[in-house]
């Protein structure tokens, strides 16, 4: 497996892959890899001849008061996992390779970026869209793989790719959960054992709310009760707990499919997000 940190060698190595006629999959990550990321890698290796995984903790998507400095970094362990999963190349640039002196471009995707994480993390999706567009241009993959756990991020990237004429496939991979239902996240590493136990209230309460919505209950009341239950279960702050149209992410006051329940809440200072499909089909 090649580990590449500079743009010149990256272009050369990608040229060799392209000349061989192989299809290329891209798995963008910020490292601190867990089973959720490895499912992206699995989907990429199943679909593409060659796979590049990027590891880059992107400063542009962190707000001033967020966890950029403390974000978990474990590059050696990540590289070992990617090698064992038969990834061909790791793209691990330094900040100045991605944002050289004088970098002045910002990609802002309106509409799907508003509200939800866009509301509680101003500028976050500009940072995501900008770095992902750069990764798409640097790698020029045939397909790129993103987790559905970051459902709004996936919607923003799909919109950006359509708007900027990226023609490769954008593949959403279902969320991977621990046995008790908590969605895997690099930020779960911040939780104490007690907070980890309490955190399972998030998926549990989302499942309960989903059932109530499907039964035809009042959506406003169901969402308000869910928030109160989360606070009672040990979460100290809720950024949002909302029902949205799954494609447009517009607010939904009357349940119609496709619908998605999305939540972000803080426990012990750690911000967790999750989302589930609300569907009569399950
Ligand atoms: O989902 C992530 O890990 C990041 O937001 C991404 C897509 C790698 C961009 O930095």
């Amino acid at each position: 497996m090649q580990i590449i940190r500079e743009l010149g060698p990256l272009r050369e190595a990608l040229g060799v892959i392209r000349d061989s006629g192989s299809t290329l999959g891209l798995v963008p990550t910020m490292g601190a890899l867990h089973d959720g990321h490895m499912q992206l890698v699995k989907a990429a290796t199943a679909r593409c001849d060659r796979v590049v995984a990027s590891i880059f903790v992107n400063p542009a998507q962190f707000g001033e008061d967020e966890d950029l400095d403390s974000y978990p970094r474990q590059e050696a362990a990540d590289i070992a996992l990617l090698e064992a999963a038969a990834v061909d190349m790791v793209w691990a640039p330094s900040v100045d390779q991605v944002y050289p002196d004088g970098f002045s471009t910002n990609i802002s995707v309106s509409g799907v970026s508003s509200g939800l994480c866009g509301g509680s993390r101003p500028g976050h999706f500009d940072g995501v869209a900008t770095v992902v567009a750069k990764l798409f241009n640097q790698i020029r993959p045939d397909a790129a793989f993103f987790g559905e756990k970051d459902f709004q991020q996936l919607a923003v990237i799909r919109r950006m790719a359509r708007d900027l004429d990226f023609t490769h496939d954008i593949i959403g991979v279902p969320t991977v959960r621990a046995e008790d239902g908590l969605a895997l996240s690099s930020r779960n590493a911040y939780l104490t054992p007690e907070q980890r136990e309490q955190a399972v209230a998030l998926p549990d309460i989302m499942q309960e709310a989903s059932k109530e919505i499907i039964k035809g209950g009042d959506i406003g009341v169901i969402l308000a009760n869910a928030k109160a239950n989360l606070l009672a279960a040990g979460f100290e702050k809720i950024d949002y707990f909302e029902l949205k149209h799954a494609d447009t992410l517009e607010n939904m006051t009357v349940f119609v499919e496709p619908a998605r329940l999305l939540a972000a809440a803080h426990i012990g200072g750690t911000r967790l997000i999750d989302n589930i499909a609300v569907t009569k089909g399950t």
Side-chain angles (χ1 to χ4, degrees):
M1 184 175 76
Q2 289 173 286
I3 298 160
I4 300 184
R5 300 183 189 277
E6 291 187 354
L7 282 165
L10 178 73
R11 287 184 191 122
E12 261 175 50
L14 290 172
V16 174
I17 293 180
R18 270 186 215 107
D19 290 348
S20 73
S22 301
T23 56
L24 188 59
L26 168 66
V27 179
T29 84
M30 296 205 301
L33 303 182
H34 51 64
D35 274 358
H37 297 107
M38 299 323 286
Q39 284 304 316
L40 305 184
V41 169
K42 201 169 164 193
T45 50
R47 188 177 171 121
C48 302
D49 301 326
R50 310 290 288 273
V51 173
V52 179
S54 62
I55 301 179
F56 179 65
V57 181
N58 173 32
Q61 68 189 75
F62 288 78
E64 268 179 25
D65 303 330
E66 293 184 353
D67 55 348
L68 172 62
D69 292 336
S70 59
Y71 194 81
R73 287 164 173 88
Q74 45 170 65
E75 197 192 78
D78 291 342
I79 286 174
L81 280 172
L82 294 170
E83 178 137 46
V87 164
D88 296 279
M89 190 191 295
V90 173
W91 170 226
S94 56
V95 172
D96 62 334
Q97 286 289 297
V98 179
Y99 300 116
D101 258 3
F103 186 87
S104 317
T105 299
N106 182 53
I107 297 179
S108 189
V109 182
S110 59
V112 284
S113 287
S114 314
L116 303 172
C117 288
S120 41
R121 302 183 70 187
H124 169 68
F125 287 121
D126 288 13
V128 171
T130 303
V131 83
V132 170
K134 284 195 63 113
L135 289 169
F136 286 174
N137 277 325
Q138 290 166 347
I139 308 290
R140 289 192 282 130
D142 296 287
F145 298 78
F146 297 90
E148 282 187 353
K149 165 148 180 297
D150 294 295
F151 199 77
Q152 189 178 16
Q153 166 173 285
L154 182 57
V156 169
I157 291 167
R158 286 192 197 284
R159 183 73 258 167
M160 182 272 291
R162 277 199 295 271
D163 290 353
L164 298 185
D165 302 318
F166 288 106
T167 53
H168 62 269
D169 295 328
I170 310 282
I171 312 291
V173 177
T175 302
V176 181
R177 295 179 182 280
E179 244 174 55
D180 64 1
L182 185 69
L184 298 193
S185 162
S186 304
R187 290 192 170 93
N188 292 354
Y190 299 148
L191 301 173
T192 63
E194 193 195 350
Q195 289 159 0
R196 172 63 188 78
E197 265 184 37
Q198 290 172 320
V200 74
L202 181 59
D204 286 353
I205 289 169
M206 292 183 82
Q207 288 296 345
E208 280 162 30
S210 167
K211 283 184 198 143
E212 297 293 316
I213 291 166
I214 292 164
K215 271 198 256 162
D218 182 300
I219 290 172
V221 172
I222 294 168
L223 298 180
N225 286 343
K227 288 184 199 173
N229 291 341
L230 269 181
L231 293 173
F235 281 81
E236 67 261 14
K237 183 178 158 215
I238 296 159
D239 286 346
Y240 58 82
F241 195 109
E242 292 181 30
L243 184 69
K244 298 281 190 184
H245 188 284
D247 296 331
T248 61
L249 295 188
E250 275 162 13
N251 258 336
M252 193 175 272
T253 47
V254 176
F255 170 55
V256 277
E257 297 198 42
R260 202 92 187 174
L261 201 51
L262 302 103
H266 299 248
I267 186 159
T270 300
R271 183 176 184 276
L272 300 180
I273 61 169
D274 202 351
N275 69 85
I276 56 172
V278 181
T279 171
K280 289 181 175 159
T282 57

